[in-house]
Amino acid sequence: MSYKPTNIQYSNIHKRWKRHIVLKEVDIHVQGGHCILISGKNGSGKSTLLRIMAGLVKPDQGTIELGLGTLPWKQGVKITQQQVMYLHQTPYLFSGTVEKNLRYVQAAHNNLPIEMEDINKAMAWANIRHLSHKPVHQLSGGERQRVALARARLRSPKVLLLDEPTANLDKDSRARVMELLSSLRKQGVAIVIASHDPIHFSSVIDQRLRLIHARLEPEPSQPDNIIPLHERGASHS
């Protein structure tokens, strides 16, 4: 499976909850095949930023650039909502089996049918074929994350936003999630991860940012700009 590369610039994002300024003059540039890690303390605004980028929360101010010129938020977000998928740290799954959850993607994926062969490939990719008939309420946290990632793969997003994707996972489950994220990145998906514990993601990230005092800034030891993977000798597959 391959994905067409994407390039989205979110600019000048402001968000206030009552009297509390959560985000101020936030800019973030996402590119296909790159992984950005956003760190920050709990309550710093990481989840709010991801939900804004996904079009789930409306900012007080902001613009989007998609190669069509700078668009006002209301207009730009209608386009990005078709390209961006947001995964909560506790992915929502429908009642029933793992296979049923993946079959449901067919109804939500632009009304295009998804063949059982594709579902089986997604389950094999996420190493969950042995769980296909297991009720989702019996899954562990790591298994639920892998089901959510298999579902994301079937939906073919251009941008995947993950909110604390390894929270409460054991070492083996974290390692498997990292493998799946690395695979998606190599296939051209733009990935943005929000986490207050960035140490687990060193194997997949290309750029580290942090939210502090409502502003998004590079980590001190990181370059300001994303360095394309092909310029660093990495290759996409």
Side-chain angles (χ1 to χ4, degrees):
M1 179 176 292
S2 62
Y3 299 79
K4 294 181 180 179
T6 193
N7 195 324
I8 304 175
Q9 174 72 47
Y10 298 87
S11 299
N12 202 30
I13 298 174
H14 289 245
K15 184 62 182 179
R16 178 194 298 266
W17 295 117
K18 297 183 178 180
R19 295 185 178 182
H20 176 57
I21 298 175
V22 181
L23 301 170
K24 184 176 182 180
E25 299 177 357
V26 168
D27 299 337
I28 183 167
H29 181 201
V30 298
Q31 293 177 276
H34 295 270
C35 180
I36 299 173
L37 176 72
I38 301 174
S39 61
K41 297 179 180 179
N42 288 334
S44 61
K46 302 186 302 297
S47 296
T48 298
L49 176 57
L50 291 195
R51 291 174 65 81
I52 286 174
M53 293 170 66
L56 301 175
V57 171
K58 181 181 178 181
D60 301 321
Q61 181 178 313
T63 60
I64 301 177
E65 167 64 56
L66 295 132
L68 305 171
T70 301
L71 300 175
W73 191 268
K74 185 176 181 180
Q75 184 178 354
V77 78
K78 291 181 179 179
I79 301 174
T80 60
Q81 283 177 325
Q82 301 171 15
Q83 305 178 20
V84 178
M85 185 173 181
Y86 169 81
L87 291 185
H88 190 268
Q89 68 181 69
T90 306
Y92 176 78
L93 301 178
F94 301 98
S95 61
T97 65
V98 168
E99 183 180 310
K100 179 180 178 181
N101 271 263
L102 298 182
R103 283 181 177 275
Y104 181 80
V105 175
Q106 176 173 333
H109 187 65
N110 300 323
N111 295 318
L112 297 176
I114 292 179
E115 302 295 335
M116 193 62 210
E117 179 183 358
D118 296 323
I119 292 174
N120 284 331
K121 286 180 179 179
M123 287 194 293
W125 172 79
N127 193 24
I128 55 173
R129 288 195 67 172
H130 61 293
L131 302 173
S132 61
H133 299 299
K134 189 171 184 176
V136 295
H137 72 270
Q138 296 179 7
L139 300 179
S140 68
E143 290 168 345
R144 293 178 70 91
Q145 282 287 3
R146 281 151 52 198
V147 172
L149 288 171
R151 189 168 60 186
R153 188 175 189 267
L154 285 169
R155 290 185 60 183
S156 303
K158 292 186 176 181
V159 181
L160 185 60
L161 310 175
L162 300 110
D163 195 349
E164 302 285 0
T166 59
N168 304 316
L169 300 188
D170 61 30
K171 182 179 179 180
D172 290 341
S173 295
R174 284 199 304 267
R176 184 56 184 159
V177 168
M178 291 303 102
E179 290 176 6
L180 299 180
L181 293 181
S182 179
S183 173
L184 289 171
R185 185 189 69 172
K186 290 177 181 178
Q187 292 164 0
V189 178
I191 299 174
V192 182
I193 300 169
S195 176
H196 70 279
D197 191 11
I199 191 172
H200 301 304
F201 303 97
S202 59
S203 64
V204 297
I205 60 175
D206 301 291
Q207 184 184 29
R208 287 181 58 175
L209 304 173
R210 64 176 178 178
L211 261 173
I212 182 169
H213 305 311
R215 295 182 184 273
L216 189 64
E217 58 185 39
E219 284 283 2
S221 61
Q222 299 297 314
D224 289 346
N225 297 320
I226 296 175
I227 302 174
L229 294 179
H230 69 273
E231 293 182 6
R232 300 187 299 164
S235 61
H236 294 176
S237 59

